[in-house]
Structure formats: structure tokens, C-alpha cells
Amino acid sequence: GDSVTQMEGPVTLSEEAFLTINCTYTATGYPSLFWYVQYPGEGLQLLLKATKADDKGSNKGFEATYRKETTSFHLEKGSVQVSDSAVYFCALSDGNNAGNMLTFGGGTRLMVKP
Amino acid sequence: GAGVSQSPSNKVTEKGKDVELRCDPISGHTALYWYRQSLGQGLEFLIYFQGNSAPDKSGLPSDRFSAERTGGSVSTLTIQRTQQEDSAVYLCASSLVEGMNTEAFFGQGTRLTVV
């Protein structure tokens, strides 16, 4: 079945540091890939997505490129801010079952210190 | 409504009691999903509704769990004879099922604690 693996946290960075959160996936078809973010006390929000190989999703300074050859969708940001502190979830939807059901990674907590 | 609404936001119940969790999806969204977020298990898919029918119930962890959706809108997740391992945050999401990359919008969840 489908699965998503992402680096375990917590990841602790200083403000303006470079961020990478690794994500790899296993899927039977050609999935769409997503990063969701959960800020403290809030619900899950879509951060960015990519629907086919070599697509780059971007939002709020975050980027991730759909790499089919390495089955990866790593999240990057050049300069993190304290307000980026949150839990980040990588996810996929392969459209083969349950509508647009999402398969999630375990989540990575990011803490950014001033 | 403006977003997906879940109630209650927090629920503490005694072991063995039944609980009902409610989800109001975004108006017009035909697809509705329930997920469970628990320590050590991450985010698990529970059940999916397309309109009022549930084509996929594969994620429900046991027969103590059931869900229904009426009028293509509100959904209720019921857990009977709750156990401590049911303690988790239960998340609801809705989307327009028009393609594989359709965004799912999540509610803030119901935090269930079984004591």
C-alpha cells in the first residue's frame, strides 16, 4: 500500500536558518503530493502541492519539488522565521481509493528560535 | 460555513461510554473524510463519504466505530464502549471531488480523552 516517510523531529533552528524536511513516498500509481502545516492550536492547512513529476509547489517561501526518480518531495525554505514553528506533514493522494484520501507521514515538528 | 466545523472541541469520557463527534463540512463539498491523530500512530484515515454513502470504511479500527452522513452535509462519528486507546484527536476534512489534486480542508479537530 501507499506510505509516506518523513524525518523525525523535532527540528530546532535559529531564525534565518535554511530548512530542509525530507519526505519520501511509496505509491502504486502517480500520486499527487502535498505538504500540510499545523500551527499551534490550529487545524491542518495545505501549505503547497505538486501533481506531477518535476512540478514545484511553493507558498510562503516554502518550496518542494516532485522527484519521481527518487520518490521524494523534500520541503525547503531559505530563511525560517519564528512564525514558521509548527508541525509539518507530508502526504500523498493516489486517487485509486477513497476519493482523494490522503496518506500522511508522521509529521515533523519545527521549532525556530529567535 | 466558512470552514469545516467540528464539535465538541474537547471531550473527556469514561471508559465504556459512547461518544458522538460531529463534523459540519464546507457547504457544497461532496467528499468528507475522518482521520485520527494519535501519539505514535500519526494521522490515520478512518472513513470517507461521497455524498451520504461511504464507499470506503477500511480505516475504521473496530466495529465499535461507525459513522454516518445525512443530507450530504453533517457527519457524525460514533465510538461505542470507548477504550483508553481511543484517546486521540479526531479530524474531519471536506473537499470537492473533481480530481486527484483537489485540496482537502480540515477542521480543528475533536480531542477525545478516555479516562
Side-chain angles (χ1 to χ4, degrees):
Chain A
D2 296 344
S3 67
V4 176
T5 302
Q6 59 182 108
M7 60 191 294
E8 292 188 17
V11 174
T12 303
L13 296 173
S14 297
E15 208 164 21
E16 299 184 1
F18 184 86
L19 168 71
T20 300
I21 300 178
N22 290 337
C23 171
T24 57
Y25 67 89
T26 302
T28 52
Y30 299 94
S32 292
L33 302 174
F34 306 83
W35 277 99
Y36 277 82
V37 58
Q38 188 173 33
Y39 296 104
E42 298 185 17
L44 279 168
Q45 303 172 28
L46 179 65
L47 179 60
L48 54 84
K49 67 182 182 184
T51 60
K52 61 183 187 297
D54 300 324
D55 268 2
K56 178 185 286 188
S58 61
N59 186 25
K60 299 182 181 180
F62 290 88
E63 293 183 341
T65 301
Y66 190 142
R67 301 287 188 199
K68 187 171 180 292
E69 65 275 13
T70 54
T71 61
S72 65
F73 193 54
H74 304 320
L75 182 68
E76 297 182 336
K77 186 174 185 182
S79 176
V80 294
Q81 305 300 313
V82 173
S83 57
D84 294 327
S85 298
V87 181
Y88 292 81
F89 293 91
C90 185
L92 70 82
S93 173
D94 70 8
N96 289 330
N97 51 29
N100 290 322
M101 180 196 92
L102 293 162
T103 300
F104 286 92
T108 302
R109 181 176 300 277
L110 170 66
M111 295 187 291
V112 181
K113 296 183 176 179
Chain B
V4 178
S5 177
Q6 292 187 247
S7 60
S9 55
N10 280 284
K11 176 73 176 178
V12 180
T13 190
E14 292 182 353
K15 178 180 174 182
K17 300 285 190 183
D18 297 352
V19 294
E20 283 190 356
L21 312 180
R22 177 186 169 105
C23 173
D24 281 276
I26 293 173
S27 178
H29 281 193
T30 57
L32 186 147
Y33 307 82
W34 283 98
Y35 293 85
R36 179 169 70 173
Q37 186 176 20
S38 53
L39 285 174
Q41 297 295 323
L43 272 156
E44 306 169 83
F45 166 76
L46 297 179
I47 190 169
Y48 154 65
F49 286 92
Q50 176 59 32
N52 290 335
S53 64
D56 191 332
K57 303 180 181 180
S58 63
L60 293 177
S62 77
D63 58 8
R64 295 186 296 104
F65 287 71
S66 63
E68 64 176 14
R69 189 179 185 195
T70 55
S73 181
V74 172
S75 176
T76 302
L77 177 69
T78 300
I79 309 173
Q80 295 178 308
R81 304 180 303 281
T82 52
Q83 304 295 312
Q84 288 187 330
E85 63 262 28
D86 300 334
S87 296
V89 177
Y90 290 82
L91 296 172
C92 177
S94 69
S95 72
L96 291 167
V97 185
E98 294 179 345
M100 200 166 70
N101 57 357
T102 305
E103 179 179 353
F105 294 83
F106 283 80
Q108 294 200 6
T110 294
R111 181 175 297 278
L112 175 66
T113 304
V114 181
V115 298

